Amino acid sequence: MQHPHKHRRRSVVLSALGATTALVAAGLTALTGPGTAEAATARQVEKLDRGVVSVHTAAGNLVSWRWLGTDPGDVSFNVYRAGTKVNATPITGSTNYFHSGAPEQADYTVRAIVGGVEQADSVHAIQFRTGYKDVPISPPAGGTTPDGVAYTYEANDASVGDLDGDGALDFVLKWQPTNAKDNSQSGYTGNTIVDGIKLDGTRLWRIDLGRNIRSGAHYTQFQVYDYDGDGKAEVAMKTADGTRDGTGAVIGSSSADHRNSSGYVLSGPEYLTMFNGQTGKAMGTVDYVPARSSVASWGDSYGNRVDRFLAGTAYLDGARPSLIMARGYYTRSVIAAWDWRGGAFTRRWTFDTNSSTNTGKGYDGQGNHSLSIADVDADGKDEIVYGAMTVDDNGHGLWTTKLGHGDAGHVGDLNPARSGLEYFKVSEHTSKPGSWMADARTGALLWQTASGADNGRGVSADIHAGSAGAESWSASDTTLRSPTGASLGREPSSINFVNWWDGDTTRELLDGTRIDKYGTSSDTRLLTGASVHSNNGTKATPSLSGDIFGDWREEVVWPTSNNTALRIYSTPHETGTKITTLLHDTMYRTALAWQNTAYNQPPHPSFHIGSGMATAPRPTVYTP
């Protein structure tokens, strides 16, 4: 069993029925299961359908489905093909079934068995007939910048959310022009375009952020989440004069052009807008916090550091999600927390390293090109892990190691032998440790590697069954590290993303357009994406990777080479492990939401999944 001091609020599932619902809807605390005196506040999550998929192989079809957080712990399942049951006995130990010899077009549903009673049919399985499923997409028309440079569009980062409340996840896709820029590069860019897309390719809306939002990895971080609990996801983005919502309405002035001769936007109003996920309509717009004020006050005068934005979603009250919008990390850093309730924004708090109070004093210059959201202090409320510092759920600084900026960080139960969560980070400072692992609650360093290099890449995940817990590796180190920092030998062939793909609980390597299995002598290729491209240049990241369908294993989504489809791959490998859908683990779910932020990083759950893992905990959740 799981250690009782770990994952305290996740020890049981709350049914979304009867009196419990009333308790939960009121935000009250519900008792956990027998034998625990601890209380746990239920968290709002998506009301999802069964998410059934059928992945065809030469030998038959792998059918897999979600074990929902609102299902009983002892639920079992039957699988039906066109109304005929195909499994001999109820499936109890996993949420997948391999139907040998079946054709690619076989039509499957799943029925849950609760208290000995078989329930109604699930949705029909999404068919992966060729090992992948294509979601049709339509590139926006290209254009020409004021200096006469032509550009076209490429599909870039994506996120998921139930935009129309039907229980199925939909895509939100960012289109990036081919002349997108890093903040350090001058020049005009085309507009950033964002689409809402259903799985059948139906485009629900298209938002054009306009000429006054520059295009590049650091400018537009979009959050897709059900913030108000109405059962439909909203979409939050930074906007400006000329942003056109999904209904064609313009925010601010449609004629204003705040671009300077270098292509930067360093004047004019900046807004934060919440868009309706079903229609793309701008429902509420407020001034972006913080304002840019003096450009030079952020570290340079030409517009590089002032426009470094990060975004996330966090359960700051322990029960309902709040929006996190941030600016700056090389010098001043400001994080604003927003609630979206009743059709309006309310600012919960603002953390500012320039604050006259002590809430942010001494925390400047610690930000990463990404952030993580986690309940690091096990108080039931989420913190913002922002590079070499963490901000508490109340907007006050919790800790900083003062080890400065870096490109990558990973929060999770990286060492299951220790209490609580750990944090692994790489550093860009040649005078600081190249990488380090800390206690995520306190920031106390657990181990570190030598300084002397700008260490641009690093990953921490359990990829090697021969060592308990997560392994960590980075670009300037020469060895794979154990959870205590000891050398484990050969480093993997890539230092990018990770993905649960095959049948065991160790994680696989995801890099570019391929998935590999780590081995102590060499890595083994498990998947090569067909006619697809990765995103974000040398970062070589997918549009999205995560548990979005089927059982707890992770799908990977790449755009096709011609940008006419999002090509989704789902695992064809059977597993004997049963884990609640990771979409109902809110640390993992919010990680899917922030995955698109700046330098994309892979999601991690609140508990350890890996070789020799304890029984996975059940989440304490409710659905709207």
Side-chain angles (χ1 to χ4, degrees):
M1 291 296 293
Q2 194 64 254
H3 298 297
H5 59 259
K6 308 197 78 171
H7 324 301
R8 293 179 292 181
R9 73 168 187 273
R10 300 177 177 87
S11 55
V12 297
V13 169
L14 289 182
S15 166
L17 302 172
T20 306
T21 302
L23 255 181
V24 170
L28 300 176
T29 300
L31 294 178
T32 59
T36 59
E38 196 95 30
T41 300
R43 291 190 171 200
Q44 173 195 310
V45 295
E46 290 152 308
K47 187 174 184 179
L48 298 168
D49 64 25
R50 193 57 70 186
V52 188
V53 296
S54 170
V55 182
H56 184 67
T57 71
N61 297 323
L62 180 71
V63 183
S64 77
W65 58 92
R66 296 175 180 134
W67 183 20
L68 299 169
T70 48
D71 284 329
D74 60 354
V75 67
S76 57
F77 299 94
N78 286 327
V79 178
Y80 286 80
R81 176 187 173 189
T84 301
K85 187 156 69 84
V86 297
N87 55 299
T89 58
I91 298 162
T92 59
S94 70
T95 53
N96 68 172
Y97 177 81
F98 193 82
H99 191 200
S100 183
E104 62 183 25
Q105 70 273 18
D107 177 26
Y108 297 98
T109 58
V110 170
R111 298 179 192 174
I113 304 168
V114 178
V117 179
E118 188 178 75
Q119 308 296 300
D121 257 338
S122 69
V123 292
H124 291 259
I126 301 164
Q127 294 178 339
F128 289 69
R129 294 190 175 193
T130 52
Y132 57 77
K133 176 180 174 56
D134 280 354
V135 177
I137 56 177
S138 304
T144 305
T145 54
D147 53 355
V149 177
Y151 60 88
T152 57
Y153 278 92
E154 295 176 331
N156 189 251
D157 296 332
S159 193
V160 287
D162 183 359
L163 300 179
D164 56 7
D166 66 355
L169 292 179
D170 308 296
F171 283 102
V172 175
L173 172 67
K174 180 172 78 170
W175 290 96
Q176 198 156 276
T178 49
N179 60 357
K181 306 289 185 189
D182 184 81
N183 295 46
S184 63
Q185 301 168 336
S186 63
Y188 293 100
T189 74
N191 298 1
T192 297
I193 308 293
V194 180
D195 286 352
I197 305 165
K198 292 186 69 65
L199 269 183
D200 64 2
T202 301
R203 194 169 79 215
L204 297 174
W205 45 260
R206 170 165 283 174
I207 294 168
D208 183 342
L209 289 178
R211 66 171 72 96
N212 295 309
I213 296 285
R214 208 163 181 248
S215 195
H218 300 288
Y219 294 101
T220 294
Q221 328 302 346
F222 56 101
Q223 289 297 289
V224 183
Y225 221 87
D226 180 7
Y227 291 104
D228 58 9
D230 68 349
K232 300 178 182 181
E234 290 80 41
V235 181
M237 285 180 284
K238 183 176 181 284
T239 56
D241 279 342
T243 294
R244 191 175 296 273
D245 78 3
T247 71
V250 174
I251 294 171
S253 166
S254 61
S255 60
D257 188 344
H258 301 297
R259 295 172 295 183
N260 66 21
S261 59
S262 297
Y264 288 97
V265 181
L266 303 180
S267 63
E270 301 176 285
Y271 304 121
L272 171 63
T273 299
M274 189 68 78
F275 296 93
N276 183 295
Q278 188 164 7
T279 66
K281 177 182 174 63
M283 298 187 293
T285 296
V286 294
D287 288 337
Y288 192 86
V289 176
R292 69 170 72 84
S293 303
S294 165
V295 171
S297 70
W298 295 88
D300 61 66
S301 59
Y302 69 99
N304 180 358
R305 287 171 171 80
V306 66
D307 277 356
R308 300 283 181 153
F309 299 101
L310 300 178
T313 297
Y315 290 75
L316 299 175
D317 67 359
R320 300 184 69 186
S322 298
L323 173 67
I324 302 298
M325 284 284 171
R327 179 179 221 141
Y329 38 77
Y330 288 117
T331 51
R332 180 188 180 195
S333 295
V334 184
I335 304 170
W338 300 89
D339 290 338
W340 176 257
R341 311 275 190 265
F345 279 113
T346 304
R347 186 148 40 109
R348 181 177 279 267
W349 49 253
T350 305
F351 170 92
D352 190 343
T353 58
N354 278 8
S355 170
S356 57
T357 69
N358 287 325
T359 57
K361 283 284 187 193
Y363 281 67
D364 52 298
Q366 303 303 317
N368 264 17
H369 288 294
S370 60
L371 51 68
S372 294
I373 305 296
D375 177 12
V376 302
D377 55 7
D379 66 352
K381 302 175 183 180
D382 286 345
E383 281 73 45
I384 296 92
V385 184
Y386 199 89
M389 69 180 191
T390 291
V391 176
D392 206 351
D393 57 80
N394 61 5
H396 292 219
L398 184 65
W399 57 258
T400 176
T401 60
K402 292 188 178 292
L403 291 177
H405 168 76
D407 283 8
H410 300 265
V411 183
D413 192 359
L414 306 178
N415 185 353
R418 289 185 75 256
S419 175
L421 304 176
E422 291 79 35
Y423 180 43
F424 175 74
K425 180 181 166 340
V426 295
S427 177
E428 201 170 277
H429 297 267
T430 57
S431 61
K432 309 286 188 185
S435 62
W436 47 270
M437 186 175 283
D439 183 316
R441 179 195 295 260
T442 64
L445 291 188
L446 302 174
W447 56 267
Q448 63 190 52
T449 61
S451 58
D454 174 352
N455 197 10
R457 297 285 182 97
V459 183
S460 189
D462 190 357
I463 59 165
H464 175 37
S467 173
E471 290 75 47
S472 303
W473 68 104
S474 63
S476 68
D477 198 6
T478 58
T479 184
L480 190 66
R481 302 273 172 187
S482 77
T484 58
S487 173
L488 295 173
R490 190 188 77 86
E491 276 197 327
S493 57
S494 63
I495 313 173
N496 195 1
F497 257 56
V498 284
N499 176 286
W500 280 294
W501 183 255
D502 65 7
D504 63 36
T505 53
T506 57
R507 225 163 176 184
E508 280 67 58
L509 308 166
L510 168 57
D511 183 52
T513 58
R514 64 185 188 272
I515 294 176
D516 295 320
K517 182 78 170 176
Y518 175 77
T520 54
S521 57
S522 64
D523 298 336
T524 303
R525 181 64 40 85
L526 299 181
L527 174 70
T528 301
S531 301
V532 295
H533 70 81
S534 61
N535 293 319
N536 306 313
T538 60
K539 302 304 175 194
T541 50
S543 288
L544 185 70
S545 177
D547 174 16
I548 54 179
F549 308 115
D551 62 25
W552 55 273
R553 270 87 59 79
E554 295 176 301
E555 282 67 43
V556 58
V557 183
W558 289 292
T560 55
S561 300
N562 59 6
N563 294 294
T564 61
L566 289 177
R567 184 156 287 174
I568 310 168
Y569 283 86
S570 188
T571 182
H573 302 284
E574 193 172 6
T575 184
T577 300
K578 184 178 180 181
I579 298 175
T580 308
T581 176
L582 297 181
L583 292 166
H584 282 172
D585 179 79
T586 54
M587 179 168 149
Y588 185 94
R589 182 63 186 89
T590 56
L592 280 192
W594 59 247
Q595 186 178 129
N596 69 78
T597 295
Y599 291 172
N600 306 10
Q601 301 295 319
H604 299 284
S606 63
F607 58 95
H608 178 68
I609 300 177
S611 180
M613 65 180 283
T615 300
R618 304 285 333 271
T620 305
V621 298
Y622 74 98
T623 57

